[in-house]
Amino acid sequence: MRKVYATLVLMCLFLSGHVFGQCNLLPNAIPGIILDYQSTNLLNCSGVGYNPIRARYYGVRAGNPGFPLETWSATGTQLYTTTAGFDWRGMWWNPNTNQLEGNGYSGSGMWRANLDGNGYALNTGASIFTGMAQPDAQSCGDYDPVANEVIYYFNGRIYRYSRATNAAISNYLLVGCPVGLGNLNSTTVVYTGCAGREIGILDYVLKRLYLFQKNTGIYQGMCQLPGTAVTSASFRTSWANGYLWLFDLGTGNWFSYQIFDLILPVAVDANADWISAVASEVVWECNANQNFSRFEVERSVDATNFSSLGQVDAADISMESENRKQWRFQDLSTPNSEVVYYRVKVIGQDNEVAYSDVMTLHRMNQFALDINAWPVPADDRLTVTFAEAKAGTLLEVVDVSGKLVFQQTILADLEEEASMEMDTHNWSNGIYLLRMKDASGKFKFQRLVIQH
């Protein structure tokens, strides 16, 4: 059966550079995983990015296209090292383009790094924009995916630039910071995405992260880092996958720190499956106590460029139990592609965004064999006949909403025509779809009608 499941765990719903829901600021940061460089030529490492599709971390050293660019697994295992290929400063994963991006030194502009088939960052890529569009030559930017803006910090102010056009939008003063500018990392800003505390600036003297509201620049609180944390007056600071990252030149490691309370873990299970030769269905569910606004189902044929198929309001629940809620979306005209990819965009009450894992659905080949169901319409009994079938072939019947009403697996090879009777007296009147699928993914569909 070619059903594809993906489980998404959102800790305070951090994912893809987005966060979701209310964030509780910790008074004291909690150390997390460590990224250990293979290279020793490190000095001013300046950025960390996280690819949620491939579950890969990336880290780079600022200063020269020949400096190291490395890839790690989601647990910090070293995977690949190469040269940077660009004079990086800031680095981020852009969930709107599914690209590893960053800004460069002075007029170097903005860059997109190529990834190989394993999701490893390469030293090749392409310019997104050229020319200086940042407040200082050494500025290390970060990405606001909600507003589609790149933000920078310089001399007490936040500077906003359009990711779409590279044009300056505005700048504003940070208000209420409890220390003087001399305490603050001079090159780096982090975008947390946490509603009301989106902007983060490192106090490298007192080892704190100060949080500010992005719309007003007003100070909102701080998180104290451990005394053992290594902080720097410039560079060596980043944000990725919901964590603050600090680079320790002495050990050659990026150390991560949890700044927000992750007390609201949510599991979102999503699956995609064929419901006809040209149509598929995406089904997802989550804990019943979560307060979402709506969902968007997106599709791709290359796992990189996704487009929206449509929206499902959070109130349009297809099934609900005491602990879980479920939603469905049908794609009634799939592209003529061997593989189709889906993901669910989860949108919160304040328009915060997170994404499910990507689901991969392989095109199935149809049976050449016949399958028939009678009578039409059927009342309390339905007879299905089919030609030879292999052990493991699955028979399913679903209603128009996609709800499974019957399922049976053929346990032994059938070399001659066989028949099966179904008790349908409890089925509601209406149209159903009979699906027959073998272990190799071949399938056959038959329309059923029940009329009592």
Side-chain angles (χ1 to χ4, degrees):
M1 183 176 181
R2 296 294 184 103
K3 183 173 287 187
V4 181
Y5 293 90
T7 300
L8 168 67
V9 177
L10 306 179
M11 295 300 189
C12 202
L13 294 188
F14 285 112
L15 188 66
S16 305
H18 294 73
V19 297
F20 186 96
Q22 295 298 315
C23 304
N24 301 305
L25 184 62
L26 291 172
N28 297 290
I30 301 173
I33 71 167
I34 300 170
L35 305 179
D36 185 8
Y37 274 91
Q38 299 179 47
S39 174
T40 57
N41 184 19
L42 301 173
L43 193 61
N44 284 327
C45 288
S46 65
V48 175
Y50 181 73
N51 177 348
I53 298 173
R54 290 288 189 172
R56 301 282 189 256
Y57 281 106
Y58 309 104
V60 70
R61 176 187 167 180
N64 190 291
F67 286 160
L69 170 62
E70 302 209 3
T71 304
W72 297 267
S73 73
T75 57
T77 301
Q78 297 171 337
L79 297 175
Y80 187 74
T81 183
T82 186
T83 53
F86 176 70
D87 193 358
W88 295 78
R89 288 304 180 268
M91 171 182 279
W92 57 83
W93 179 262
N94 185 334
N96 296 316
T97 62
N98 284 328
Q99 295 178 166
L100 180 64
E101 301 175 352
N103 74 290
Y105 171 73
S106 187
S108 300
M110 195 179 300
W111 179 259
R112 168 190 60 78
N114 288 333
L115 307 180
D116 70 7
N118 295 311
Y120 300 164
L122 305 178
N123 60 6
T124 59
S127 290
I128 302 170
F129 299 108
T130 57
M132 183 165 170
Q134 57 197 54
D136 182 74
Q138 301 289 0
S139 294
C140 300
D142 206 356
Y143 181 60
D144 174 353
V146 177
N148 194 28
E149 296 173 359
V150 180
I151 60 170
Y152 302 92
Y153 167 79
F154 180 65
N155 199 27
R157 304 184 75 88
I158 297 297
Y159 292 77
R160 301 165 53 215
Y161 291 80
S162 169
R163 168 60 181 78
T165 66
N166 210 32
I169 297 173
S170 69
N171 67 83
Y172 55 81
L173 188 69
L174 293 177
V175 179
C177 186
V179 297
L181 299 185
N183 276 39
L184 305 182
N185 184 297
S186 62
T187 61
T188 309
V189 62
V190 301
Y191 181 83
T192 72
C194 183
R197 301 184 179 96
E198 297 90 349
I199 305 297
I201 303 292
L202 177 69
D203 180 339
Y204 75 94
V205 178
L206 299 178
K207 299 187 178 182
R208 298 170 176 171
L209 185 71
Y210 299 127
L211 283 307
F212 301 83
Q213 186 180 49
K214 78 170 183 178
N215 292 334
T216 65
I218 296 175
Y219 174 69
Q220 300 295 316
M222 68 93 178
C223 181
Q224 181 68 55
L225 295 163
T228 55
V230 176
T231 55
S232 302
S234 61
F235 300 106
R236 305 180 189 174
T237 305
S238 194
W239 185 273
N241 199 28
Y243 292 93
L244 175 70
W245 295 85
L246 301 176
F247 182 73
D248 181 350
L249 181 60
T251 63
N253 297 330
W254 280 104
F255 289 86
S256 65
Y257 295 92
Q258 180 184 323
I259 301 300
F260 296 104
D261 190 357
L262 311 184
I263 63 172
L264 299 174
V266 178
V268 176
D269 298 321
N271 72 75
D273 195 16
W274 296 106
I275 59 173
S276 77
V278 295
S280 62
E281 182 177 59
V282 179
V283 181
W284 62 99
E285 62 178 54
C286 64
N287 293 339
N289 61 354
Q290 295 306 304
N291 190 21
F292 304 118
S293 170
R294 63 192 185 279
F295 307 92
E296 290 185 13
V297 177
E298 299 181 345
R299 185 182 69 195
S300 172
V301 294
D302 60 7
T304 299
N305 300 297
F306 283 84
S307 59
S308 177
L309 294 175
Q311 291 193 7
V312 177
D313 191 90
D316 295 335
I317 301 167
S318 64
M319 186 175 70
E320 184 174 8
S321 66
E322 181 179 353
N323 299 317
R324 305 289 284 176
K325 294 179 182 178
Q326 186 183 88
W327 296 264
R328 294 173 179 269
F329 182 91
Q330 292 186 350
D331 180 7
L332 299 179
S333 183
T334 60
N336 186 19
S337 172
E338 288 299 317
V339 184
V340 184
Y341 303 92
Y342 295 95
R343 67 183 184 186
V344 178
K345 184 177 181 180
V346 186
I347 303 171
Q349 294 296 327
D350 297 322
N351 289 322
E352 298 90 350
V353 173
Y355 289 90
S356 76
D357 291 343
V358 173
M359 292 159 277
T360 305
L361 196 57
H362 293 272
R363 178 71 61 184
M364 295 186 294
N365 299 314
Q366 293 201 51
F367 281 127
L369 306 176
D370 291 331
I371 181 171
N372 294 291
W374 54 276
V376 180
D379 185 0
D380 294 338
R381 306 293 295 179
L382 177 71
T383 300
V384 177
T385 61
F386 47 90
E388 60 187 79
K390 298 294 184 181
T393 296
L394 184 69
L395 285 173
E396 294 181 325
V397 178
V398 296
D399 64 17
V400 291
S401 72
K403 179 182 178 182
L404 185 69
V405 298
F406 176 86
Q407 185 179 71
Q408 183 166 328
T409 301
I410 296 174
L411 300 179
D413 290 351
L414 301 175
E415 298 181 357
E416 298 179 354
E417 184 176 276
S419 64
M420 176 182 297
E421 284 196 351
M422 300 179 187
D423 182 358
T424 59
H425 79 278
N426 286 327
W427 296 12
S428 300
N429 291 342
I431 298 172
Y432 293 79
L433 187 71
L434 171 66
R435 307 188 294 202
M436 182 177 180
K437 296 191 286 187
D438 73 4
S440 69
K442 293 181 179 180
F443 69 98
K444 192 73 176 180
F445 296 95
Q446 175 69 44
R447 182 174 178 267
L448 310 177
V449 179
I450 303 298
Q451 180 65 57
H452 299 297

